[in-house]
Amino acid sequence: MADDCLFCRIIRNEIPAKVVAKTDDCIAFRDINPQAPSHVLIIPREHVPSLNQLRDPDVVGRMAMLAAEIAKQEGIADSGYRTVINTNADAGQTVFHIHMHLLGGRGMGWPPG
Ligand code: AMP
Ligand code: ZN
């Protein structure tokens, strides 16, 4: 837990969020500025600033499994979806608590911008 981390504060219920799933290890909530009809952020309860600081591969494994479950709930598992972890400036990371974006409900371009 980091006192001044936005996503730790969401985990502690200090900041409201539209939560779509909770597990022992992760929570998932709707992005405040959605970039697709479905845009959910999956975060571990453990404060890991970015992929660069990841030590336990299970953390991302659990995030990915939960993303796939939520994709089913959102009805986008078959049509398709994108999962993204942005790391540092060139990728546009703005919140330094690791998170997986789950985006779907529209076609996506490749390569990403
Ligand atoms: P990134 O740019 O990959 O670090 O993603 C951070 C994401 O967090 C952005 O898509 C923001 O729209 C989203 N975000 C920022 N503040 C909140 C919040 N209070 N609740 C939900 N999503 C947020
Ligand atoms: Zn945090």
Side-chain angles (χ1 to χ4, degrees):
M1 282 282 171
D3 287 348
D4 55 350
C5 168
L6 175 67
F7 287 174
C8 285
R9 296 189 69 194
I10 287 177
I11 293 166
R12 292 198 298 266
N13 283 315
E14 291 171 11
I15 292 176
K18 291 183 181 166
V19 173
V20 299
K22 279 186 179 180
T23 67
D24 287 348
D25 308 291
C26 294
I27 78 164
F29 51 91
R30 298 203 183 278
D31 196 293
I32 205 166
N33 183 22
Q35 301 302 313
S38 285
H39 187 174
V40 172
L41 301 176
I42 296 103
I43 69 172
R45 292 180 186 272
E46 180 187 344
H47 179 84
V48 177
S50 84
L51 201 52
N52 285 344
Q53 287 79 33
L54 187 76
R55 297 294 173 264
D56 178 0
D58 286 352
V59 170
V60 168
R62 293 189 197 102
M63 290 162 70
M65 293 296 289
L66 184 56
E69 252 178 61
I70 295 167
K72 273 189 220 157
Q73 276 177 37
E74 297 278 305
I76 56 173
D78 291 340
S79 51
Y81 57 91
R82 186 165 291 170
T83 46
V84 176
I85 298 176
N86 292 321
T87 303
N88 283 346
D90 275 1
Q93 185 179 5
T94 57
V95 179
F96 288 83
H97 179 128
I98 193 170
H99 49 280
M100 184 176 285
H101 295 258
L102 166 65
L103 297 139
R106 65 168 172 83
M108 311 250 167
W110 190 265

